[in-house]
Amino acid sequence: MDRMSKLVLVVVVVVAAATAMVLFWPREAPRPSPVIVTDALNRTVQLPSSIQRVVVLAPSITEALVYLGVDDLIVGADSFSLESWFMNTSTRLRERNVTSVGGFWWTTIKVEEILKLKPDLVLADAGAHVKLLETFESYNLTAVFLHGGSAATIEDVEKDVELLGKIFGREEK
């Protein structure tokens, strides 16, 4: 290979490497504008721009998060979610040492455990947890209520999954 061929080869390799870096090098993700949702209690909720820590209070909601592939954000869950066999939920949560925040009904939820976890978002059941709304608000916890276990129709279930998809940017699922 002559000197000119080597020079051309070096230039091609450098251009290819630079192109790959521009296309594939990790960049800081653009900050999404605040997401505003309407929950199952018909409340308008503005979500934090970054959701990294989630507490879930109902197994149906936990399982929907597993389906959407965002269960790695769960830091606290109800005890039934921690025992759920569906989609290997309990194993996934226990491997990550997700904290139990109590049982399913509002009277068994340990608000102090939720506060210790410093969640960005609490996902609650509109039927079982509505009495906790004032408590969440008094502690400035962002809470979204879903139909969850109180879903009366398949449309309620679909609305929950669509709402979670919007919250976590997984609308395609």
Side-chain angles (χ1 to χ4, degrees):
M1 193 183 310
D2 66 355
R3 187 173 162 94
M4 186 57 117
S5 297
K6 286 180 184 177
L7 183 60
V8 169
L9 180 62
V10 168
V11 169
V12 168
V13 169
V14 168
V15 169
T19 302
M21 285 177 60
V22 167
L23 294 176
F24 302 110
W25 194 265
R27 294 174 274 221
E28 186 176 320
R31 289 235 159 216
S33 57
V35 175
I36 299 172
V37 298
T38 303
D39 71 6
L41 299 179
N42 211 24
R43 298 168 44 245
T44 300
V45 181
Q46 181 171 331
L47 303 172
S49 59
S50 175
I51 298 173
Q52 300 298 315
R53 301 178 61 78
V54 178
V55 170
V56 189
L57 304 181
S60 58
I61 300 169
T62 304
E63 291 162 359
L65 295 181
V66 171
Y67 168 75
L68 292 172
V70 295
D71 52 295
D72 59 319
L73 301 176
I74 300 172
V75 294
D78 63 281
S79 59
F80 291 96
S81 291
L82 293 170
E83 296 171 7
S84 174
W85 57 268
F86 188 66
M87 292 188 294
N88 208 22
T89 299
S90 62
T91 302
R92 295 168 71 109
L93 298 180
R94 288 181 194 275
E95 284 174 350
R96 293 187 26 264
N97 296 316
V98 170
T99 301
S100 175
V101 295
F104 174 69
W105 296 106
W106 74 274
T107 55
T108 61
I109 297 296
K110 300 174 189 168
V111 176
E112 57 281 346
E113 288 298 319
I114 296 172
L115 294 172
K116 286 180 195 175
L117 294 169
K118 298 180 172 56
D120 302 312
L121 179 63
V122 176
L123 296 172
D125 183 288
H129 307 122
V130 68
K131 292 191 177 190
L132 292 171
L133 175 59
E134 285 182 25
T135 302
F136 293 156
E137 288 175 341
S138 72
Y139 288 109
N140 292 317
L141 291 171
T142 301
V144 171
F145 287 80
L146 295 105
H147 295 96
S150 60
T153 65
I154 192 70
E155 288 80 18
D156 288 345
V157 175
E158 289 172 343
K159 286 178 188 175
D160 280 358
V161 175
E162 288 172 3
L163 179 57
L164 291 169
K166 181 176 182 179
I167 290 170
F168 295 101
R170 301 289 172 105
E171 291 94 337
E172 76 282 355
K173 279 223 162 196

